[in-house]
Amino acid sequence: MLLLATLAPAAAWPQFRGPNAIGTSTSTNLPVEFNPHKNVAWKATLPVGNSSPVLTPDRIFLTGHEGDRLFTLCLDRATPAVVDGKIYLRTRHTLYCFKKKPPAE
């Protein structure tokens, strides 16, 4: 996964779907367009993740997975630096979001 940090103001996004859990932000003056070369503050190569990032004014918290390893990462919001992180070995070998059949079948 490649995380692109835009040049937007540092508003908090403390949970899945944002501050009010409705998927919208009150931030203003956000870029209308961005691509790998425009309106990007920094880039970081990260493990694949299936969760929503959590943002504080100075940190980004992420989870990810790679093989049998699960990651929790804390990045500095101003730079691509990993401030803290942990690696765990997976005890279940199934990612539910990749199942081909619903759990009820």
Side-chain angles (χ1 to χ4, degrees):
M1 177 170 101
L2 180 67
L3 178 70
L4 301 174
T6 64
L7 299 172
W13 193 265
Q15 62 187 1
F16 176 65
R17 296 185 52 94
N20 298 316
I22 58 173
T24 61
S25 171
T26 58
S27 296
T28 58
N29 300 320
L30 298 173
V32 205
E33 178 185 348
F34 66 92
N35 62 47
H37 308 289
K38 184 175 184 179
N39 290 322
V40 175
W42 52 263
K43 300 177 189 182
T45 301
L46 302 166
V48 174
N50 297 70
S51 62
S52 177
V54 170
L55 300 149
T56 67
D58 61 343
R59 299 281 188 256
I60 301 172
F61 298 90
L62 302 164
T63 62
H65 57 88
E66 197 172 80
D68 283 341
R69 297 180 303 164
L70 302 174
F71 298 87
T72 58
L73 299 168
C74 173
L75 288 86
D76 181 344
R77 196 160 168 179
T79 70
V82 175
V83 176
D84 194 10
K86 301 227 185 288
I87 300 173
Y88 303 93
L89 287 179
R90 183 178 306 186
T91 55
R92 288 188 280 174
H93 296 283
T94 303
L95 285 175
Y96 294 106
C97 60
F98 294 123
K99 278 193 166 188
K100 293 181 182 175
K101 295 182 179 181
E105 289 189 326

